[in-house]
């Protein structure tokens, strides 16, 4: 494994990131990297910049350009980037795609090497859940059982639990999340505030392929006709945003008009929420809002969202 190289204030690698599957090793490598950056800074007379900042990008792997956008943002936010790759069993329900979720660690590591990521934390389930599952869990609260949480009971408790564990393992100053998972972002922000975490989060806009479909590791499962049909989701959201000035009803109608005509797209929910509460808004809502959509295309569950400005 290539050792991280320290140039300037940032840790770079010549070839491959260190792929680490042990908590102790990760912590000691991070402490070591921080000390080396501090010494390098002191050598350049740059002491006083504070402890080098660790930035975490939590992922489930099968990385695509959306994830890599998060990684690039992470690099701009701190000194040492850690990407975690862990398909968290706790956030998958019975009958969901835990077994078939794409796993491609080697290709992921190659993609992260090209981005100059020094550390990949890729724990096993055994390491994260030595007793088979965590008996202490974070409870997502009322918003955790709406929308994605209604379709996937326990999903957000499992997601928050692993995020809390990763934050305690890595100790990041900042963690980077994607706006694509808007409910996840809302719930993580709430957990950080409610439980007084020191980590803050940065949110990156949704990265889309040509044609508008939001990038997702699950898109790999789409056949060409399904992929074409799935574009109705982003097209619907775009249509909604373009008529948002006419109100919530018009926005919903515009989105339905694009989505409901696609027989391959089985709509689960299409809602407009208040970003402050993540609760559905009434027809008279004014100000910022977010439209959320989820649908099944074949066996693949897809989600997307867009900001609406309701005057
Ligand atoms: P996942 O591997 O699906 O758990 O995603 C890891 C992180 O990447 C999450 O914060 C996601 O919201 C983010 N992400 C996934 N797809 C996209 C996308 N198309 N655009 C922006 N962020 C994304």
């Amino acid at each position: 494994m290539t050792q991280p190289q320290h140039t300037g204030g940032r840790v770079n690698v010549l070839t491959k990131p260190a792929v680490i599957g042990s908590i102790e090793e990760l912590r000691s490598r991070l402490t070591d990297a921080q000390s080396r950056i501090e010494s390098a800074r002191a050598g350049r007379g740059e002491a006083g910049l504070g402890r080098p900042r660790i930035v975490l990008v939590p992922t489930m792997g099968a990385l695509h350009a959306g994830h890599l956008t998060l990684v690039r943002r992470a690099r701009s936010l701190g000194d040492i980037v850690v990407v975690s790759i862990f398909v968290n069993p706790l956030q998958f329900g019975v009958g969901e795609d835990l077994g078939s979720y794409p796993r491609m660690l080697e290709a992921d590591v190659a993609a992260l090497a090209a981005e100059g990521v020094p550390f990949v934390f890729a724990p096993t389930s055994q390491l994260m859940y030595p007793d088979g599952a965590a008996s202490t869990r974070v409870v997502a609260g009322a918003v955790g059982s709406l929308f994605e949480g209604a379709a996937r009971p326990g999903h957000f408790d499992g997601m928050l639990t692993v995020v809390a564990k990763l934050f305690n393992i890595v100790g990041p100053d900042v963690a980077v999340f994607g706006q694509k998972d808007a409910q996840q972002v809302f719930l993580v922000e709430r957990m950080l505030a409610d439980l007084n975490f020191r980590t803050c989060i940065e949110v990156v806009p949704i990265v889309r392929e040509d044609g508008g479909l939001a990038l997702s590791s699950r898109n790999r499962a789409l056949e060409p006709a399904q992929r074409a049909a799935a574009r109705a989701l982003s097209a619907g959201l775009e249509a909604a945003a373009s008529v948002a000035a006419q109100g919530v009803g018009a926005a919903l109608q515009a989105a339905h008009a694009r989505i409901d005509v696609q027989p391959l797209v089985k709509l689960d929910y299409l809602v407009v929420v208040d970003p402050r509460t993540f609760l559905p808004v009434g027809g008279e809502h004014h100000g910022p809002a977010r439209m959320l959509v989820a649908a099944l295309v074949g066996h693949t569950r897809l989600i997307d969202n867009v900001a609406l400005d309701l005057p």
Side-chain angles (χ1 to χ4, degrees), residues 57-70 84 86 91 101 176-182 184-185 202 204-209 213-219:
V57 183
T59 81
M60 298 203 299
L63 302 182
H64 50 65
H67 295 111
L68 299 182
T69 305
L70 270 60
S84 64
F86 180 57
Q91 69 190 65
Y101 197 86
V176 185
F177 288 84
Q179 184 61 59
K180 166 154 180 295
D181 296 274
Q184 168 169 285
V185 165
E202 177 79 6
V204 169
I206 301 175
V207 179
R208 302 177 179 282
E209 60 178 46
L213 181 63
L215 295 182
S216 164
S217 305
R218 291 190 165 97
N219 292 355

Side-chain angles (χ1 to χ4, degrees), residues 141-151 156 183 269 277-280:
V143 172
S145 52
L146 301 175
F147 317 126
E148 282 308 284
F156 286 119
Q183 196 173 1
Y269 59 79
T277 60
F278 226 79
L279 298 175

Side-chain angles (χ1 to χ4, degrees), residues 41-125:
R41 282 180 181 166
R44 294 195 306 271
E46 290 174 4
L49 287 176
R51 197 97 179 109
R53 283 157 66 85
I54 297 172
V55 189
L56 172 66
V57 183
T59 81
M60 298 203 299
L63 302 182
H64 50 65
H67 295 111
L68 299 182
T69 305
L70 270 60
V71 169
R72 276 172 223 139
R73 177 69 67 85
R75 287 193 56 159
S76 74
L77 291 169
D79 305 289
I80 304 165
V81 174
V82 181
V83 175
S84 64
I85 297 181
F86 180 57
V87 182
N88 174 33
L90 217 57
Q91 69 190 65
F92 285 78
V94 178
E96 289 189 14
D97 57 349
L98 174 62
S100 60
Y101 197 86
R103 290 164 172 86
M104 43 189 70
L105 185 61
E106 216 172 301
D108 289 347
V109 171
L112 295 173
E115 297 295 333
V117 169
F119 300 114
V120 175
F121 179 52
T124 59
S125 292

Side-chain angles (χ1 to χ4, degrees), residues 280-302:
V281 300
E284 298 309 309
H285 181 83
H286 300 291
R290 191 161 286 277
M291 179 173 272
L292 316 173
V293 67
L296 269 182
V297 181
H299 295 295
T300 307
R301 186 178 176 80
L302 299 176

Side-chain angles (χ1 to χ4, degrees), residues 88 90-91 154-164 184 187-188:
N88 174 33
L90 217 57
Q91 69 190 65
H155 167 70
F156 286 119
D157 294 359
M159 179 279 292
L160 290 178
T161 302
V162 85
V163 168
Q184 168 169 285
L187 290 168
V188 169

